[in-house]
């Protein structure tokens, strides 16, 4: 069987799933591979970025976990339909590998690859959280390799090789790695984000917590907060009444600039968010999403908290009073923020896209592993450098 130089990348959902997929696609493209995207209808076709320049396939699919029996059955039928379509495309493309980034959009392409017979491409999964998601836990039995952002407490099924690659992040975030933490002498800049649309819990809790700070601290604040459109008027009114300088919007395109200037980030603990905070070396207050199927966000936040890089609240404990108490202490003792920033930077992996691309190339079908010379050498260099750093 002759394989092409196409590598299918399966990803869907929100930006948190697409950013690492795009980062890997960029790296593979630089190495001479042709990335092709398989995604779901919820995400749709990409009009910008690396995938807009390459083939895209929007497959049927739907979630199954946490749904009622009827909706779960419909989800299974949609996934089966998507798998048949993915199998048809794989037979046409003859990809060398399929890389799945978790979630139900990765299920049809990976299943189709697993049952492709003699045309079976290599299968690589990437797990972006400290606890494996349901889709990756199910698909692991067919994987050739699994790239991890964190060491996993549980053992995944199958005999796939695993490697700590880190979570690929956008190049603009990678550029922040190694930059100095900004001084806190005159201003205190907070970045509050809450997923793609801004979680309502942050609109309810954070403005009241900040408005209750002592006046000498309020006067130093510069707030940038992602807020749902329907909540923006309420949030602006609280900040205005408290005399706090605030920029409110439902979405920010300049996340790299905002992270560069931020002294503290407040938000959820999704895999991409945690990775971007860590690569940028910024301390954070994390409130894990309480409804995640595997509670992976709590595991992510716990990893940073144990490293001394973050403070974590369960959503049930995240009140204006509790946040006010923490922020008052941090703003009056900014050296705590500096220490946490250094700890966050130690957790970040700016070369995660290259590490994951190395892993993909290492498990390509027989005869294709040398298609890009240097992967093994680069991995050896990284291992040597890490060993020196740990010693």
């Amino acid at each position: 069987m002759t394989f092409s130089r196409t590598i299918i990348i399966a990803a869907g959902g929100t930006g948190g799933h697409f950013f690492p997929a795009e980062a890997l696609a960029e790296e593979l493209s630089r190495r001479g591979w042709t990335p092709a995207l398989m995604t779901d209808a919820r995400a749709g076709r990409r009009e910008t970025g690396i995938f807009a320049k390459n083939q895209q396939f929007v497959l049927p699919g739907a979630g199954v976990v946490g749904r009622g029996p009827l909706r779960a059955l419909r989800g299974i039928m949609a996934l089966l339909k998507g798998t048949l379509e993915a199998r048809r495309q794989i037979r046409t493309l003859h990809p060398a590998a399929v890389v799945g980034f978790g979630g139900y959009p990765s299920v049809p392409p990976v299943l189709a690859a697993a049952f492709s017979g003699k045309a079976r491409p290599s299968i690589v999964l990437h797990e972006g959280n400290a606890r494996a998601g349901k889709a990756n836990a199910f698909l692991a039995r067919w994987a050739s390799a699994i790239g991890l952002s964190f060491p996993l407490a549980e053992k995944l099924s199958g005999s796939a090789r695993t490697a700590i690659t880190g979570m690929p992040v956008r190049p603009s975030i990678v550029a922040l790695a190694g930059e100095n933490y900004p001084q806190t002498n005159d201003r205190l800049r907070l970045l509050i984000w809450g997923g793609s649309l801004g979680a309502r819990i942050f609109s309810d809790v954070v403005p009241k917590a900040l408005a209750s700070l002592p006046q000498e601290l309020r006067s130093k604040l510069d707030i940038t907060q992602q807020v749902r459109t329907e909540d923006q008027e309420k949030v602006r009114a609280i900040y205005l009444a408290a005399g706090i300088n605030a920029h409110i919007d439902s979405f920010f395109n300049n996340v790299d600039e905002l992270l560069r200037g931020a002294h503290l980030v407040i938000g959820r603990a999704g895999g991409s968010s945690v990775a971007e905070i860590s690569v940028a070396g910024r301390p954070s207050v994390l409130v894990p999403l309480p409804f995640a199927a595997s509670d992976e966000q709590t595991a992510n936040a716990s990893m940073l908290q144990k490293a001394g890089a973050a403070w974590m609240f369960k959503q049930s404990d995240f009140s204006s009073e509790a946040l006010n108490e923490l922020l008052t202490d941090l703003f009056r003792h900014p050296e705590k923020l500096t220490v946490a920033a250094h700890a966050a930077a130690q957790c970040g992996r700016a070369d995660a896209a290259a590490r994951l691309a190395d892993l993909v190339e290492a498990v390509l079908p027989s005869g294709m592993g040398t298609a890009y010379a240097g992967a093994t050498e680069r991995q050896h260099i990284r291992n040597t450098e890490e060993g020196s750093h740990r010693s």
Side-chain angles (χ1 to χ4, degrees):
M1 173 66 199
T2 300
F3 294 93
S4 71
R5 295 191 59 77
T6 297
I7 293 180
I8 291 174
I9 297 179
T14 61
H17 289 92
F18 259 109
F19 294 147
E22 288 179 330
L24 175 64
E26 291 279 4
E27 179 66 23
L28 290 172
S29 180
R30 282 193 290 271
R31 299 183 182 197
W33 300 99
T34 302
L37 174 67
M38 287 191 175
T39 187
D40 62 321
R42 178 180 56 164
R45 293 182 60 85
R46 311 305 286 181
E47 302 298 331
T48 60
I50 182 70
F51 292 126
K53 307 171 187 176
N54 292 280
Q55 292 190 80
Q56 301 182 56
F57 305 93
V58 179
L59 306 176
V64 175
V65 177
R67 298 170 179 260
L70 182 58
R71 292 185 67 191
L73 179 60
R74 289 174 179 169
I76 291 172
M77 296 304 295
L79 290 174
L80 289 174
K81 185 177 179 181
T83 301
L84 292 175
E85 175 61 20
R87 188 180 182 188
R88 186 175 73 84
Q89 298 299 340
I90 286 174
R91 286 178 170 176
T92 300
L93 295 172
H94 304 298
V98 173
V99 184
F101 277 86
Y104 75 78
S106 66
V107 173
V110 172
L111 280 182
F115 295 99
S116 294
K118 293 181 179 180
R120 187 186 191 279
S122 298
I123 296 172
V124 178
L125 303 179
H126 182 268
E127 178 52 63
N129 296 294
R131 183 170 294 137
K134 299 293 186 182
N136 275 346
F138 168 67
L139 296 172
R141 68 202 70 194
W142 294 290
S144 310
I146 303 173
L148 306 174
S149 291
F150 305 93
L152 294 182
E154 72 273 29
K155 178 176 174 58
L156 294 173
S157 61
S159 57
R161 62 186 292 182
T162 60
I164 305 295
T165 61
M167 169 74 88
V169 299
R170 291 169 277 186
S172 60
I173 304 298
V174 172
L176 303 180
E179 290 194 2
N180 292 330
Y181 181 67
Q183 296 293 318
T184 57
N185 296 336
D186 300 320
R187 307 298 297 172
L188 289 166
R189 293 183 291 275
L190 272 68
L191 171 60
I192 301 102
W193 61 21
S196 297
L197 298 175
R200 177 159 287 150
I201 185 70
F202 298 112
S203 299
D204 293 340
V205 170
V206 177
K208 293 178 182 178
L210 296 174
S212 300
L213 290 170
Q215 195 280 330
E216 71 271 14
L217 294 178
R218 296 201 309 270
S219 64
K220 296 177 65 177
L221 293 177
D222 289 320
I223 307 301
T224 301
Q225 183 165 352
Q226 185 182 22
V227 178
R228 293 174 183 267
T229 302
E230 59 268 29
D231 295 330
Q232 289 182 14
E233 184 176 347
K234 174 189 70 174
V235 171
R236 283 197 181 95
I238 294 174
Y239 285 135
L240 182 62
I244 295 174
N245 180 49
H247 175 47
I248 306 299
D249 210 334
S250 59
F251 186 80
F252 296 108
N253 290 312
N254 60 333
V255 172
D256 54 335
E257 297 175 18
L258 297 175
L259 272 175
R260 173 177 280 113
H263 293 106
L264 180 67
V265 179
I266 301 175
R268 293 297 193 193
S272 287
S273 296
V274 166
E276 292 187 345
I277 291 168
S278 299
V279 169
R282 294 298 179 264
S284 55
V285 174
L286 301 175
V287 185
L289 182 71
F291 311 115
S294 302
D295 199 22
E296 60 269 18
Q297 290 202 12
T298 297
N300 296 345
S302 295
M303 294 288 288
L304 286 192
Q305 181 172 250
K306 290 176 183 177
W311 294 265
M312 180 179 70
F313 286 94
K314 291 183 178 180
Q315 182 157 310
S316 58
D317 299 328
F318 187 58
S319 66
S320 297
E321 295 76 15
L323 181 60
N324 175 275
E325 182 179 353
L326 173 63
L327 295 181
T328 299
D329 178 60
L330 294 179
F331 295 161
R332 284 182 170 163
H333 301 92
E335 67 276 6
K336 295 183 179 181
L337 291 171
T338 303
V339 170
H342 179 73
Q346 297 302 304
C347 297
R349 292 184 182 269
D351 63 345
R355 287 174 175 270
L356 184 55
D358 287 350
L359 185 63
V360 172
E361 290 187 326
V363 295
L364 289 175
S366 178
M368 298 198 74
T370 58
Y372 183 85
T376 303
E377 180 182 356
R378 285 197 314 278
Q379 189 61 53
H380 172 72
I381 292 172
R382 288 197 187 94
N383 291 340
T384 302
E385 289 176 345
E386 285 189 348
S388 299
H389 177 73
R390 285 191 294 267
S391 61

